[in-house]
Amino acid sequence: MKEEMPGVNMAELRLQGFKVHELPAYVDVPVVHGRRDFYKMGLVAGEMTMNYGGQVVELQDIVLFFVNPRVPRSVLRRSRSTTGYACIFTEAFMPAIVKKSPLFNTGQNPLIRLNSEQAAFITGIFQKMLAVRDGDYAYKSDLIKSCIELIIHEALSIQPPAQQQVNGAARMTHLFMDLLERQFPVEHAAEPLRMRTAQDFAAKLAVHINYLNRAVKMVTGKPTSVHIAERIAAEAKALLQHTDWNVADIAYALGFGYPTYFNNFFKRVTGVTPKSLRKV
């Protein structure tokens, strides 16, 4: 009979905010949408198509992947035979890693292709995590975190950050434009826009504002702030022309504290005043 460790409550050994599992050998082949509240990393061998933040990637090799929950994604398994491991964890479980590691940057390519030797090493770490999960070690949470960090450092040694910039600007721009567009149409005056500045979008995407601005300007030729202003102005035109809301309600719905601020903004962007447009 296994003895319990002195002073240790076995219920407290349960990992909070973390799960690890081995992928089933045979699965159906639907489109799988990842959970949006967990970071995820894994080792996969099999034929797949992944859409990650607007970038479509075909997988036929052994790959190590890192997924940020803020990035829209889906996976289509094109083969019934898929092997590997995966783990998911919350930001609270690994706060320093998810904030600082370039592998979880929303603008990066999430895939690192491995050779057989590298795959064997990473497989061993995932198997260690499974053993720790099922064991009674009092500090299993710390040991799991060490395993995750080891995988991340191994990944960075295989593919340095400088090599992860492939199409990063285009992907970040796609994420920004998607996030911007999802705020519209504005349907209720009592629910004003929540994101109106480049800083707001950078915070939501978990990137530095300078990185967001560089990426958007590189891809589109226009600053982030211009895209935001033009989209807000376009929505203002639609509300002025197709609703009976008064100008004050429209101003508030679009995030302006005072109608005067909205009037000045609208004239600066469009060249006309809100009232003059409504009279047309």
Side-chain angles (χ1 to χ4, degrees):
M1 179 176 178
K2 184 183 296 185
E3 296 183 357
E4 292 191 356
M5 299 175 63
V8 176
N9 183 336
M10 286 301 157
E12 294 177 354
L13 295 181
R14 295 173 57 191
L15 289 163
Q16 300 297 319
F18 169 84
K19 290 183 180 180
V20 61
H21 65 277
E22 183 173 3
L23 298 178
Y26 296 94
V27 296
D28 292 331
V29 287
V31 174
V32 178
H33 296 272
R35 290 191 60 167
R36 300 301 299 276
D37 53 346
F38 280 87
Y39 288 82
K40 185 173 185 178
M41 71 179 193
L43 175 71
V44 179
E47 294 185 7
M48 293 185 178
T49 299
M50 172 183 283
N51 187 314
Y52 186 77
Q55 180 189 22
V56 176
V57 182
E58 301 292 341
L59 305 181
Q60 294 182 339
D61 306 315
I62 303 175
V63 298
L64 186 60
F65 66 86
F66 299 85
V67 173
N68 187 308
R70 295 181 176 87
V71 181
R73 65 189 184 277
S74 63
V75 176
L76 174 62
R77 292 180 177 178
R78 294 183 282 107
S79 170
R80 290 184 179 274
S81 178
T82 303
T83 60
Y85 302 85
C87 71
I88 60 174
F89 50 88
T90 62
E91 184 170 341
F93 187 76
M94 298 286 292
I97 286 295
V98 300
K99 290 180 180 179
K100 296 180 180 180
S101 175
L103 294 170
F104 288 107
N105 190 311
T106 53
Q108 304 304 328
N109 189 326
L111 306 175
I112 297 177
R113 287 177 169 80
L114 307 179
N115 59 35
S116 57
E117 181 179 352
Q118 294 163 342
F121 180 75
I122 298 297
T123 295
I125 302 176
F126 273 104
Q127 291 174 343
K128 177 65 175 179
M129 284 196 284
L130 287 169
V132 173
R133 179 202 63 185
D134 297 333
D136 295 333
Y137 181 51
Y139 305 102
K140 61 167 61 180
S141 179
D142 293 335
L143 185 49
I144 287 289
K145 292 175 183 178
S146 295
C147 290
I148 293 175
E149 290 180 350
L150 181 55
I151 290 176
I152 288 174
H153 284 297
E154 182 69 12
L156 290 173
S157 70
I158 295 170
Q159 183 168 304
Q163 297 178 22
Q164 299 167 21
Q165 300 297 330
V166 179
N167 210 28
R171 190 178 309 108
M172 177 55 58
T173 301
H174 171 86
L175 294 173
F176 161 70
M177 298 298 288
D178 178 70
L179 196 58
L180 174 63
E181 191 59 37
R182 274 192 275 145
Q183 294 195 107
F184 304 99
V186 174
E187 298 179 340
H188 304 286
E191 298 179 4
L193 292 182
R194 295 182 178 274
M195 293 180 290
R196 298 182 64 253
T197 68
Q199 184 63 58
D200 293 336
F201 285 91
K204 186 68 174 179
L205 293 168
V207 297
H208 195 282
I209 186 173
N210 291 344
Y211 176 78
L212 176 62
N213 286 333
R214 284 198 304 270
V216 173
K217 182 68 178 294
M218 180 187 303
V219 174
T220 69
K222 295 191 294 187
T224 309
S225 58
V226 171
H227 285 283
I228 298 170
E230 290 179 346
R231 187 60 185 88
I232 292 176
E235 187 68 10
K237 287 181 180 180
L239 293 172
L240 287 166
Q241 294 176 333
H242 303 296
T243 73
D244 58 359
W245 297 5
N246 61 47
V247 173
D249 285 340
I250 293 175
Y252 181 76
L254 294 176
F256 295 89
Y258 299 96
T260 302
Y261 295 165
F262 169 63
N263 289 337
N264 293 338
F265 161 83
F266 192 81
K267 186 173 183 180
R268 174 173 58 82
V269 176
T270 68
V272 299
T273 65
K275 288 186 178 181
S276 66
L277 181 66
R278 176 156 275 179
K279 292 177 181 178
V280 175

